[in-house]
């Protein structure tokens, strides 16, 4: 097992397990969203973590809004390896972006009352112009794998280079499932809103894509608590003893 942070997957879902959709406009989902935020980002959070990790599509949906990166194709060649711009951020936002496609405009982002330094996770597929773009903005990046994401390298660097001892895994569904399947998720935390919209094409808490498998996985209930507006907070332990954690799943186009 790699020298890695403790990883918990923390998500808000509808009653039918969807992580996005029209249900989010309901008062019940709004109240559940407050519960979700307070548990991991509030003044007295249950989970005290140094960063949270999401995939490319989740990042575009919430922060970069599908902007194109301002690349200079004639940029000077950057040094090999990682770029560590900030080593002592109170929070890091870790974005899985293997090919280098996200159009950041700032090295920091805000999520409600939380401020975080952006930390991009690239592979060898990311070009020099994109790395130069991140350096101009003062955005840290890690290179984890040549063609596919290398989980061991990623998690070791997050802990050793950035001091992340506890990491929140925050979607999307393919990324969540790939971490569970690879044996790198230690706890599942789900806040279920008392709402649904019945959509059949909305992404769920866990989803398969690419090399991820639909082999079933059981979980161990830790606790269940009723929260605001009929929401429910469920915590599950994950048994990773029999999990194959050698995976090179590509989450670039799915998360």
């Amino acid at each position: 097992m790699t020298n890695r942070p403790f990883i918990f997957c923390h998500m808000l879902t509808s009653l039918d397990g969807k992580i996005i959709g029209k249900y989010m406009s309901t008062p019940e989902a709004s109240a559940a969203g407050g519960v979700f935020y307070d548990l991991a980002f509030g003044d007295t959070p249950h989970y005290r973590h140094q960063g949270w990790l999401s995939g490319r599509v989740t990042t575009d949906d919430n922060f970069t809004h599908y902007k194109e990166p301002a690349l200079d194709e004639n940029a000077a060649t950057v040094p090999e390896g990682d770029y560590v711009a900030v080593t002592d951020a109170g929070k890091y936002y870790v974005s899985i972006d293997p090919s280098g496609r996200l159009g950041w405009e700032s090295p920091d982002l805000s999520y409600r009352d939380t401020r975080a330094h952006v930390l991009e996770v690239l592979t060898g597929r990311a070009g020099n112009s994109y790395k130069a773009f991140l350096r101009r903005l003062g955005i840290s990046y890690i290179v984890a794998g040549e063609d596919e994401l290398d989980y061991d390298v990623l998690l070791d660097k997050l802990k050793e280079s950035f001091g992340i001892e506890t990491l929140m895994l925050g979607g999307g569904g393919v990324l969540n499932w790939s971490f569970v399947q690879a044996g790198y998720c230690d706890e599942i935390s789900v806040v279920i809103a008392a709402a649904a919209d019945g959509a059949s094409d909305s992404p769920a808490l866990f989803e398969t894509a690419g090399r991820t498998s639909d082999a079933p996985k059981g979980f161990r209930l830790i606790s269940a608590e009723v929260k605001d507006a009929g929401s429910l907070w469920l915590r599950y332990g994950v048994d990773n003893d029999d999990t194959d954690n050698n995976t090179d799943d590509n989450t670039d186009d799915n998360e």
Side-chain angles (χ1 to χ4, degrees):
M1 181 64 71
T2 184
N3 178 36
R4 65 172 179 85
F6 175 88
I7 299 174
F8 68 101
C9 179
H10 182 55
M11 298 291 291
L12 171 69
T13 76
S14 64
L15 195 59
D16 55 350
K18 304 302 174 56
I19 59 176
I20 195 169
K22 293 180 179 179
Y23 79 90
M24 298 186 78
S25 65
T26 65
E28 291 82 2
S30 178
V35 172
F36 168 86
Y37 182 85
D38 288 344
L39 287 170
F41 299 96
D43 293 335
T44 56
H46 174 83
Y47 295 106
R48 298 184 180 274
H49 59 96
Q50 293 78 48
W52 76 104
L53 178 149
S54 294
R56 181 183 58 80
V57 173
T58 300
T59 300
D60 256 339
D61 283 343
N62 291 282
F63 298 113
T64 50
H65 307 296
Y66 296 88
K67 295 183 180 73
E68 293 292 326
L71 303 183
D72 177 3
E73 297 299 341
N74 298 314
T77 302
V78 304
E80 292 290 327
D82 308 329
Y83 176 60
V84 181
V86 177
T87 59
D88 57 353
K91 279 282 193 298
Y92 290 96
Y93 178 78
V94 185
S95 178
I96 304 294
D97 186 19
S99 297
R101 296 165 62 179
L102 292 167
W104 296 104
E105 296 181 334
S106 169
D108 303 294
L109 58 78
S110 294
Y111 169 47
R112 295 197 181 187
D113 297 328
T114 300
R115 190 79 172 164
H117 175 69
V118 175
L119 201 176
E120 277 269 287
V121 179
L122 310 174
T123 66
R125 288 185 282 142
N128 181 77
S129 61
Y130 190 76
K131 294 175 185 176
F133 160 72
L134 295 179
R135 284 171 175 260
R136 287 199 308 272
L137 288 175
I139 293 176
S140 299
Y141 64 78
I142 287 171
V143 180
E146 187 54 40
D147 295 317
E148 310 293 349
L149 180 65
D150 187 317
Y151 289 79
D152 286 323
V153 171
L154 164 62
L155 298 176
D156 181 79
K157 288 182 176 182
L158 289 180
K159 185 171 183 178
E160 294 302 316
S161 297
F162 295 92
I164 298 178
E165 297 287 341
T166 301
L167 179 70
M168 173 182 147
L169 174 61
V174 175
L175 189 68
N176 292 343
W177 187 241
S178 71
F179 267 72
V180 170
Q181 185 186 58
Y184 294 125
C185 184
D186 302 292
E187 185 172 316
I188 308 294
S189 168
V190 186
V191 177
I192 303 175
D197 55 38
S200 60
D201 57 352
S202 297
L205 173 63
F206 298 127
E207 296 198 328
T208 61
R211 294 187 179 93
T212 54
S213 166
D214 61 357
K217 178 79 175 177
F219 302 96
R220 172 176 45 83
L221 181 65
I222 297 174
S223 64
E225 297 182 24
V226 176
K227 294 292 187 178
D228 298 347
S231 60
L232 187 64
W233 177 34
L234 302 178
R235 292 175 59 212
Y236 290 93
V238 185
D239 182 4
N240 292 316
D241 291 342
D242 58 353
T243 303
D244 177 9
N245 56 29
N246 295 314
T247 182
D248 59 355
D249 176 52
N250 174 17
T251 58
D252 183 32
D253 295 321
N254 301 298
E255 290 307 322

